[in-house]
Amino acid sequence: MECLYFSASRCRSCTLMTVPYAQQLQSKVEDCKRLLADFPDLEFLPAQASSEQGFRNKAKMVISGTTDKPTIGILDAEGRGIDLRNCGVVADQLRAVFPLIERFIHELKLIPYDVPKRKGELKHVILTVSDTGSVMVRWVLRTKKHFVALRDSLPQFLEQLPRHSVVSVNFLPEHKAVLEGEEEIILTRRTTLEFGLNGVPMHLRPQGFFQTNSEVAAALYRQARQWINDANPESVWDLYSGVGGFALHCAAEDRTVYGIETSTEAVEAAETSAKAMELDDIHFKAQDATEFALGAGWAPEAVIVNPPRRGITADLSTWLNGSDVQQIIYSSCNAKSLARDLERLENYTPTLARVMDMFPQTNHYEVIVKLEHKAA
C-alpha cells in the first residue's frame, strides 16, 4: 500500500511500508524458521496473510494542537502534534469517527494537552471497533475539568456512533509516556464492546486487551481450536487467557476448560462471554499463570499459553516440562523468547508451526506452535 505520511516522513511507524506485501510475509516466515531452526521436526504450515490496509481495529491517537485546530495522531521529536487521521492501516470505521472527535473538541471547548509545556487537559483518544461495527471511545484526560462536559454531551455523542457503542473517560494526571491511567469511568450503560469472532461472543472492557487485527485473530483462534479438537482432550488450561479467546473457542461438551489471567477486567469479560454461550464447564480465574500451575495439584491433558513478549517464566517452563500434559499450544508474538522457551521444554517435540501476520507493514508477527509430549 502507499502512504503519504510515510512518503513525507511524517510517520515512520510502518517500517515496511515500501516493501511488497508478499515479500513482507515471506520474510517473516524465513525469520521465524531461522529462529526456530534448532527444531528439525517442526513443520511450517502456510502463513496466515492479512489485509494490507484497514486491518487495525484499534487507534491510539494523541490529541495535540489547540481547541480550534486539534491534531489527532502522534507527536514529533519536539512534542508537537502530527495529524494522522487518514492513516491507511486503521479501520475505515475508526477513521470515520475522527471528524466527530474533532467536532466535540470544538463544541465542548476541550483543551488538548501540550506535552512540552505540561499544560492542557485532553491527552489521548483511544478507539476500538468490533467486527460487528460497534465502537469503543475512551477519552483520556489529565484532570476532571472536562468530565462533566463529556458526560452531559453523551446522548448527542452516541447519536453519531454505531449502535451498541461504549464511551468512557480515563484519567492520567501524571506527565509520563503512557497512554492511560488507572481510573476509568464508563459513561454508557453498556460496559463492554462485543466481538463475534468465528461466532464466539467475546467482550472487551475499556482497560482490557484484544488483538489489534480481528481478521487474523479469528484465524489464530480457529487454528488452536482445530489442534485441540484433533487431540480431543478432556481438560484444557488457557494460561495468560486475556478475554478468553482460546478458552472460549476450545470449549466443548465433556471438556473442562480453565482460563487464567491476572487482569480482573479481562476475567470479567471472559465470564460474560461464557455466560452468553451457556457454558457450564469453563472457569476463569484472576491469578498469575505460573502461580496457578504450580499450586493446582493436577495437570490437564492440554495447555495453551499466550504470554507477553518476554515469554513464559522459567518456573512455568520447568513445571510444564516435568508434567504429564500431552499437548502444548504456544502462541507467541516474539519468536526469540519462543525459541528460548521451546529449548527449556526438552520433553516436548514442536511438530507444527504457523506464522500469523497480525502486524502487516512492520517486522512483527505472531506464530502459533503445537508441541507433543515425547514418549517415555
Side-chain angles (χ1 to χ4, degrees):
M1 61 174 285
E2 293 185 5
C3 175
L4 296 178
Y5 298 125
F6 187 90
S7 301
S9 296
R10 292 178 61 80
C11 175
R12 290 284 178 165
S13 299
C14 296
T15 55
L16 302 184
M17 184 60 70
T18 59
V19 180
Y21 183 65
Q23 185 178 333
Q24 290 184 33
L25 192 59
Q26 183 59 35
S27 295
K28 294 179 183 186
V29 173
E30 291 172 357
D31 181 68
C32 192
K33 287 182 175 179
R34 178 182 59 81
L35 291 169
L36 303 183
D38 290 338
F39 307 98
D41 296 323
L42 185 57
E43 175 189 349
F44 276 76
L45 300 175
Q48 173 62 51
S50 168
S51 300
E52 294 183 47
Q53 57 189 34
F55 58 84
R56 282 193 63 93
N57 60 29
K58 189 170 187 176
K60 309 169 187 177
M61 311 303 280
V62 179
I63 307 300
S64 191
T66 66
T67 300
D68 292 331
K69 292 185 178 181
T71 61
I72 303 174
I74 60 175
L75 298 178
D76 64 14
E78 283 73 43
R80 296 170 303 195
I82 297 176
D83 199 283
L84 297 180
R85 67 184 73 189
N86 291 315
C87 174
V89 299
V90 171
D92 290 343
Q93 300 99 314
L94 294 184
R95 292 168 62 181
V97 178
F98 294 152
L100 178 64
I101 297 296
E102 181 178 25
R103 194 182 105 203
F104 271 74
I105 290 174
H106 293 327
E107 293 182 358
L108 301 182
K109 297 182 172 27
L110 306 181
I111 305 169
Y113 186 68
D114 187 313
V115 171
K117 295 181 180 179
R118 301 192 178 193
K119 293 181 179 179
E121 295 296 324
L122 178 57
K123 292 187 171 183
H124 309 116
V125 174
I126 304 173
L127 307 172
T128 307
V129 62
S130 79
D131 58 331
T132 66
S134 299
V135 174
M136 178 182 288
V137 179
R138 302 174 62 209
W139 301 91
V140 182
L141 304 178
R142 183 176 68 90
T143 70
K144 290 185 168 63
K145 179 176 180 178
H146 291 319
F147 174 72
V148 173
L150 285 170
R151 183 195 63 193
D152 292 348
S153 70
L154 182 66
Q156 294 77 27
F157 192 58
L158 284 177
E159 284 180 1
Q160 309 301 314
L161 293 176
R163 290 186 61 196
H164 306 313
S165 291
V166 179
V167 181
S168 69
V169 178
N170 179 276
F171 299 98
L172 178 60
E174 302 88 356
H175 178 84
K176 56 184 181 181
V178 295
L179 283 171
E180 60 192 57
E182 294 182 4
E183 183 181 2
E184 185 117 15
I185 298 176
I186 301 175
L187 301 180
T188 48
R189 184 176 302 174
R190 186 176 294 272
T191 60
T192 65
L193 185 67
E194 183 173 348
F195 290 74
L197 304 190
N198 305 312
V200 175
M202 297 173 63
H203 291 263
L204 174 68
R205 295 180 66 84
Q207 291 184 308
F209 168 80
F210 201 89
Q211 298 283 8
T212 59
N213 188 324
S214 298
E215 173 190 14
V216 178
L220 179 70
Y221 295 139
R222 288 195 302 271
Q223 184 63 76
R225 179 170 61 188
Q226 178 188 326
W227 285 345
I228 288 292
N229 287 343
D230 287 346
N232 196 26
E234 293 185 359
S235 54
V236 178
W237 288 357
D238 176 10
L239 304 181
Y240 311 92
S241 59
V243 296
F246 288 109
L248 294 164
H249 276 78
C250 294
E253 189 175 352
D254 299 325
R255 180 180 296 160
T256 301
V257 178
Y258 281 82
I260 309 302
E261 166 61 44
T262 57
S263 168
T264 55
E265 293 276 331
V267 168
E268 288 179 17
E271 289 174 337
T272 300
S273 299
K275 184 176 180 181
M277 295 174 69
E278 299 182 345
L279 297 173
D280 296 325
D281 209 2
I282 184 168
H283 315 275
F284 292 97
K285 190 173 184 180
Q287 189 176 355
D288 175 76
T290 301
E291 180 183 280
F292 172 81
L294 271 59
W298 65 285
E301 291 182 23
V303 169
I304 302 169
V305 293
N306 182 29
R309 289 189 61 80
R310 62 180 177 272
I312 63 176
T313 64
D315 287 344
L316 181 55
S317 296
T318 299
W319 183 87
L320 283 168
N321 200 50
S323 75
D324 57 359
V325 172
Q326 293 303 299
Q327 183 183 71
I328 299 172
I329 295 176
Y330 195 135
S331 179
S332 171
C333 60
N334 182 0
K336 291 182 179 178
S337 60
L338 169 64
R340 179 205 65 204
D341 292 342
L342 296 186
E343 287 284 358
R344 291 172 173 173
L345 297 170
E346 58 185 12
N347 290 332
Y348 290 83
T349 301
T351 58
L352 291 173
R354 190 178 185 192
V355 169
M356 318 292 289
D357 194 13
M358 198 76 71
F359 315 102
Q361 317 303 340
T362 76
N363 288 306
H364 301 291
Y365 57 87
E366 194 97 5
V367 57
I368 185 169
V369 179
K370 181 171 77 167
L371 299 90
E372 303 286 351
H373 200 289
K374 294 179 181 177

